[in-house]
Amino acid sequence: MAKRDYYEVLGLQKGASKDDIKKAYRKLAIQYHPDKNPGNKEAEEKFKEATEAYEVLSDDQKKAAYDQFGFAGVEGMTGGQDFASAFHGFEDIFGDFSNIFDTFFGGSGRRGSGSGGARQGANLRYDIEIPFKDAVFGTKVEIQYSRNESCSTCKGSGAANGSGKKTCPTCAGSGQVRHSQGFFSVASTCPSCGGDGYIIEQPCKDCGGAGSQKKRQKIMVTIPSGVENGRRVVIPRQGDVGPGGGAPGDLYVFIRVKPHDYFERQDQDLYCAVPVSITQAVLGADIQVTTLNGKTIKVKIPAGVQNGKLLRVRDEGVPAGGRRGNLYIKLMIQIPAKLSKRGKELMEELSRIEGENESPKPIPLSEMAN
């Protein structure tokens, strides 16, 4: 089945506010959650579809990439999730999850200790530094890292061939033990099974009963155009595999942007400074400026321009959200430290012709700001 537009999935128009996106997703999540529709494959697919749409449209960076490039813009930034963990990170929508799932679905939506089954694996973090230019225009980066993967010998069970698991006798499979303290009963993780609810009688020799082994892998990470320093890209299901063969967690790639020698960024605009001579500033001139992507553009300097003047070049800034910012060029008038004999004669002649103000008054601060 072809993928539907994310706005269509949530029943929204492009440009919908974050509150509208949040409300639309909450309504669909409650309606189609598998715990409320047991055995209904269509409901499961709708829930998964709505969750993927919310994951993209609720994130400013992903939403901008999707609005500009469609599904290609968020390739590698979204992925399938199991239904119980799909709500992880959406506490701002539902508040206390335990109450929500008890109310609507008759039980807890979080996977945790005490089920006796598989649990979701841990999320991982990876830090990369990318060149300034790649952050502006986007790129693909190959990274290598280690993560826990299912043991190939025991297929993630943790048990040796021919053996299995038995219910933990301490907690009777609940994963928790309770202690009475006065009028209160306090639950804590079972010390015998570590909250799994079962005990492996004969652990796998290769993984020691963990069900997973540390392995190194390479993956390509898509860095969207316009990404800012400190932002992150989430790669679903590329974290550690869960205990008991549970679904993997996610990989969070945090981005550091290396400063550029000549360009700096403010939101979607780029800034650089170029030197101009006294004669170019006085008479005006056409100069050639190389942009961040290596393109040479012609810039017209107006006659009589002052030092520090900003010239704007449209649509040569940072691409993001379906548009590009501008490039601002700061003109720095260069005063020659030494003049040739002829040059000095010409400057003296200009001084005589134009005259000099030998009693200058201070310039108002309001004019200096301009």
Side-chain angles (χ1 to χ4, degrees), residues 13 17 55 77 82 94 112 121 228 232 237 246 279 284 326 335 369:
Q13 295 294 324
S17 68
E55 179 189 349
M77 298 170 67
D82 60 68
F94 293 97
E228 296 181 88
R232 68 188 187 189
R237 305 177 72 85
T279 52
N326 301 315
I335 307 296

Side-chain angles (χ1 to χ4, degrees), residues 295-306:
K295 180 173 67 175
T296 300
I297 59 175
K298 184 169 74 172
V299 177
K300 185 175 185 62
I301 299 176
V305 73
Q306 300 299 302

Side-chain angles (χ1 to χ4, degrees), residues 128-160:
I128 60 172
E129 184 177 69
I130 62 174
F132 184 90
K133 181 179 177 180
D134 287 345
V136 170
F137 298 112
T139 188
K140 289 182 180 291
V141 180
E142 183 181 75
I143 65 172
Q144 296 185 49
Y145 69 104
S146 297
R147 70 167 187 156
N148 289 331
E149 297 183 5
S150 290
C151 174
S152 57
T153 302
C154 66
K155 310 302 182 186
S157 69

Side-chain angles (χ1 to χ4, degrees), residues 42-361:
E42 183 180 356
E44 289 184 0
E45 289 303 317
K46 286 185 179 294
F47 177 79
K48 182 178 179 181
E49 185 181 46
T51 299
E52 182 177 323
Y54 179 80
E55 179 189 349
V56 171
L57 298 183
S58 63
D59 183 286
D60 291 340
Q61 177 185 330
K62 294 178 184 177
K63 182 175 181 294
Y66 177 73
D67 287 346
Q68 183 175 6
F69 300 111
F71 295 117
V74 293
E75 179 185 357
M77 298 170 67
T78 64
Q81 294 174 296
D82 60 68
F83 300 117
S85 65
F87 281 90
H88 180 66
F90 296 156
E91 285 86 346
D92 59 324
I93 302 174
F94 293 97
D96 185 346
F97 273 114
S98 62
N99 292 336
I100 290 295
F101 278 92
D102 287 344
T103 300
F104 290 103
F105 312 125
S108 175
R110 291 184 182 276
R111 282 188 296 179
S113 302
S115 66
R119 288 178 287 157
Q120 183 171 349
N123 296 329
L124 298 179
R125 172 173 177 152
Y126 190 96
D127 292 88
I128 60 172
E129 184 177 69
I130 62 174
F132 184 90
K133 181 179 177 180
D134 287 345
V136 170
F137 298 112
T139 188
K140 289 182 180 291
V141 180
E142 183 181 75
I143 65 172
Q144 296 185 49
Y145 69 104
S146 297
R147 70 167 187 156
N148 289 331
E149 297 183 5
S150 290
C151 174
S152 57
T153 302
C154 66
K155 310 302 182 186
S157 69
N161 290 336
S163 66
K165 307 171 184 177
K166 72 174 183 178
T167 301
C168 175
T170 303
C171 65
S174 69
Q176 295 181 330
V177 292
R178 292 186 171 274
H179 306 278
S180 295
Q181 297 180 355
F183 293 103
F184 301 98
S185 178
V186 179
S188 60
T189 301
C190 175
S192 299
C193 66
D196 291 329
Y198 59 84
I199 293 176
I200 298 174
E201 296 183 281
Q202 297 182 35
C204 170
K205 293 182 179 179
D206 288 342
C207 66
S212 62
Q213 294 174 309
K214 190 73 76 175
K215 293 185 178 180
R216 194 145 183 91
Q217 73 167 8
K218 296 180 182 179
I219 63 170
M220 293 297 295
V221 179
T222 299
I223 307 297
S225 61
V227 68
E228 296 181 88
N229 187 57
R231 294 301 297 268
R232 68 188 187 189
V233 174
V234 183
I235 315 298
R237 305 177 72 85
Q238 291 299 318
D240 283 341
V241 70
D250 298 333
L251 173 65
Y252 288 76
V253 180
F254 283 78
I255 300 169
R256 294 194 303 271
V257 179
K258 186 177 180 180
H260 198 277
D261 289 337
Y262 303 108
F263 291 88
E264 63 179 28
R265 173 182 176 181
Q266 292 184 20
D267 298 324
Q268 285 184 245
D269 295 326
L270 294 176
Y271 290 79
C272 70
V274 297
V276 295
S277 68
I278 292 179
T279 52
Q280 287 174 320
V282 172
L283 302 176
D286 290 332
I287 62 172
Q288 303 292 322
V289 176
T290 302
T291 63
L292 179 63
N293 62 1
K295 180 173 67 175
T296 300
I297 59 175
K298 184 169 74 172
V299 177
K300 185 175 185 62
I301 299 176
V305 73
Q306 300 299 302
N307 185 58
K309 173 71 175 179
L310 287 175
L311 301 182
R312 181 177 64 181
V313 182
R314 293 184 180 275
D315 301 325
E316 288 293 342
V318 180
R323 60 174 291 269
R324 287 191 67 171
N326 301 315
L327 169 64
Y328 288 90
I329 300 172
K330 187 175 184 179
L331 301 179
M332 307 298 293
I333 299 175
Q334 303 295 292
I335 307 296
K338 292 184 66 176
L339 286 172
S340 64
K341 181 179 179 181
R342 179 57 179 157
K344 186 176 181 181
E345 290 174 351
L346 290 173
M347 292 297 291
E348 290 173 344
E349 183 178 354
L350 176 65
S351 176
R352 288 193 299 271
I353 293 172
E354 296 298 328
E356 301 292 350
N357 184 359
E358 297 182 353
S359 301
K361 295 181 179 179

